[in-house]
Amino acid sequence: MSSQNTLPSYLNPLELGPWATYLEQVERVLPHLGRLSVWADTLRRPKRCLIVDVPIHMDDGTVRHFEGYRVQHNVSRGPGKGGVRYHPGVTLSEVMALAGWMTVKNAALNLPYGGAKGGIRVDPKQLSLSELERMTRRYTSEIGIIIGPDRDIPAPDVNTNERVMAWMMDTYSMNVGSTSPGVVTGKPLSLGGSLGRRDATGRGCFVVAREAMLRLGMEMKGARVALQGFGNVGNAAARVLHEQGARIVAIQDVAGTIYKPSGIDPHALGKFLAAGTGTLLDFPGIECISNDKFWEVECEILLPAALENQITAENAGRIRARLIVEGANGPTTPQAEDILLARGAIILPDVLANAGGVTVSYFEWVQNASSFFWTEADINARLDRALSEAFRAIWDLAQERRLPLRTAAFVIACTRVLEARELRGLYP
Ligand code: NAD
């Protein structure tokens, strides 16, 4: 792959992980960018990667060190924007890929942001609440030198939530000496969070699925959905799809996979899990199936909403769904995508399908800047409009140029990013 020649020296080509998927997606768009492709290395190289040591006192009096990252992939179109992930599998190359996808996503939606992402290599379930708070605050202080409401704005991602955002906002505010709500999004409502933000990513998955189904002549009522991940994204997507008449027939999370052909009620499942009396597998009235069988479940919609690299060359051939809605970032490898496209499946790519979260994060940031707050109905209507319009532009380009939807989304987004790059020029 030609991009190997331009790999930053700090990455081992054998351990590229999701960054390899991102690079391959970039390679696929370059032939469609015309003269702007001379700027391709802008996409292949993150602008800035910060690796920080995060030492904290544990409750037992010992000191532990965690590895933290903040990557600003591109800031040509505005401040960096992207979530923070707490997971034992976090690596620099993963955070780079997630930051690269944020650049593309924000540009695909025409949000005035670049792309960024952060993470800590930690299993947060092993930490007490006060350890989690100390780790979050130390990490925020360490990355404080590059974040800010006009520089780079973090948000929740896997294993982070409103509470973590509140600690981040408070730590940054204490360090700069004034309350700065706009430094993070996905905050609690009482700290300047936005109505509609909690469900925004999942709601967005529904909006793009609805738009695709309209064009494909598929019925939402009774459509069967197989869902991987029942966290922030999966839970909200399941509830909205269920309310609109779809049937959630299978759900997989870290605990395992459940199946119920007549449909799982996501509201009841959410309440059951929140009660803390059992895992997904203990939910009444379901059948437990193997994680591997999940991929073969008969369904119209497959909605991966967990982690990267879940749909691979190994399982893609067994997937039955006509529509794949990428709630997660990077769930499909390029090889798996080729297999799915060859049999006529439609993949709604992550940079569109899960863009509802960052779109409402943008609304939150705008509300913070003006200290004027909108109604939930207004936010949901604006979200629906933003995603429907982005969908239409991507769909129409894909039809016109006979491109996969991901490549079409990358064409629109990368054109915007590279035009900005070219117009700004190189300084000095
Ligand atoms: P979350 O931590 O709230 O939930 C993650 C879910 O995935 C949990 O249900 C967990 O059990 C499940 N999971 C984890 N590992 C798994 C595995 N190996 N197999 C099956 N299930 C597994 O995270 P989230 O915020 O819902 O994020 C999920 C995905 O959506 C990530 O790819 C994230 O980057 C992406 N995303 C999130 C947002 C957001 O607003 N939170 C926005 C855009 C994209």
Side-chain angles (χ1 to χ4, degrees):
M1 190 164 58
S2 62
S3 56
Q4 297 255 325
N5 302 329
T6 61
L7 264 189
S9 64
Y10 46 79
L11 277 191
N12 177 350
L14 298 177
E15 292 168 7
L16 284 184
W19 182 248
T21 300
Y22 166 79
L23 282 182
E24 177 62 30
Q25 292 166 353
V26 168
E27 292 311 307
R28 290 180 182 200
V29 75
L30 292 181
H32 307 283
L33 293 182
R35 64 171 176 80
L36 286 172
S37 62
V38 298
W39 293 101
D41 279 352
T42 293
L43 302 170
R44 293 191 189 115
R45 288 177 163 265
K47 173 182 174 59
R48 185 179 284 136
C49 299
L50 179 63
I51 305 177
V52 294
D53 179 37
V54 185
I56 61 159
H57 286 292
M58 303 299 283
D59 292 346
D60 66 4
T62 60
V63 171
R64 269 187 74 186
H65 291 246
F66 299 95
E67 200 167 290
Y69 306 92
R70 186 72 189 171
V71 173
Q72 293 170 350
H73 175 265
N74 190 276
V75 295
S76 298
R77 302 181 64 260
K81 181 92 192 82
V84 173
R85 176 174 293 194
Y86 291 171
H87 194 274
V90 165
T91 60
L92 176 61
S93 74
E94 179 186 58
V95 180
M96 282 168 57
L98 292 164
W101 285 319
M102 288 311 297
T103 297
V104 177
K105 188 183 307 178
N106 292 332
L109 268 287
N110 217 0
L111 305 178
Y113 291 134
K117 202 84 181 191
I120 305 181
R121 198 172 165 79
V122 60
D123 182 355
K125 295 186 179 73
Q126 307 288 323
L127 301 186
S128 70
L129 195 63
S130 55
E131 288 166 344
L132 191 70
E133 177 174 352
R134 287 194 288 279
M135 184 186 73
T136 300
R137 289 187 180 277
R138 181 64 191 238
Y139 168 73
T140 308
S141 281
E142 293 293 343
I143 66 166
I145 53 174
I146 61 167
I147 63 170
D150 298 319
R151 305 174 79 191
D152 180 3
I153 306 124
D157 191 72
V158 173
N159 291 327
T160 57
N161 54 22
E162 290 180 4
R163 182 161 51 196
V164 171
M165 292 307 113
W167 291 327
M168 291 189 76
M169 186 279 244
D170 182 68
T171 306
Y172 180 85
S173 297
M174 290 299 108
N175 287 342
V176 298
S178 60
T179 296
S180 179
V183 67
V184 292
T185 57
K187 296 177 292 293
L189 276 179
S190 51
L191 293 179
S194 177
L195 292 165
R197 172 62 184 88
R198 203 176 287 168
D199 286 355
T201 311
R203 181 175 295 280
C205 292
F206 159 74
V207 171
V208 294
R210 179 196 69 204
E211 293 299 306
M213 291 168 88
L214 273 173
R215 287 159 175 88
L216 294 167
M218 291 168 73
E219 273 284 323
M220 183 63 77
K221 198 162 172 40
R224 294 166 298 178
V225 181
L227 172 68
Q228 187 195 39
F230 197 69
N232 178 295
V233 179
N235 182 317
R239 279 185 281 113
V240 182
L241 284 161
H242 175 79
E243 281 155 19
Q244 298 296 324
R247 205 160 17 120
I248 317 296
V249 294
I251 303 181
Q252 178 179 102
D253 78 357
V254 273
T257 306
I258 61 173
Y259 177 64
K260 187 176 178 186
S262 62
I264 300 160
D265 177 353
H267 295 274
L269 177 61
K271 279 199 192 123
F272 176 80
L273 293 176
T277 49
T279 73
L280 190 77
L281 306 181
D282 303 310
F283 186 56
I286 50 84
E287 183 187 331
C288 294
I289 61 172
S290 75
N291 281 343
D292 196 45
K293 273 263 178 280
F294 170 79
W295 303 106
E296 296 169 14
V297 166
E298 288 285 353
C299 58
E300 281 69 50
I301 303 174
L302 174 66
L303 206 163
L307 297 172
E308 307 90 48
N309 290 342
Q310 298 300 302
I311 304 179
T312 63
E314 192 279 316
N315 59 24
R318 292 183 279 141
I319 290 173
R320 303 283 179 50
R322 178 156 182 221
L323 191 60
I324 289 110
V325 183
E326 292 186 337
N329 284 305
T332 313
T333 67
Q335 297 71 30
E337 176 153 11
D338 291 342
I339 294 168
L340 289 165
L341 294 177
R343 78 143 172 82
I346 305 290
I347 304 173
L348 303 183
D350 46 10
V351 293
L352 171 69
N354 69 35
V358 70
T359 302
V360 176
S361 275
Y362 166 58
F363 298 159
E364 180 175 334
W365 183 73
V366 170
Q367 292 171 87
N368 292 153
S370 59
S371 297
F372 180 78
F373 290 86
W374 311 344
T375 65
E376 185 161 11
D378 194 10
I379 286 159
N380 288 345
R382 285 174 191 263
L383 168 66
D384 201 310
R385 196 159 61 232
L387 279 180
S388 303
E389 282 173 11
F391 180 96
R392 177 156 37 78
I394 292 166
W395 182 272
D396 289 352
L397 186 75
Q399 297 284 312
E400 185 190 310
R401 297 213 207 157
R402 299 183 163 278
L403 297 174
L405 289 167
R406 190 187 315 280
T407 308
F410 268 63
V411 170
I412 290 172
C414 295
T415 300
R416 288 179 179 148
V417 173
L418 299 184
E419 265 174 14
R421 160 84 287 176
E422 188 170 74
L423 284 166
R424 287 179 69 154
L426 298 178
Y427 173 84

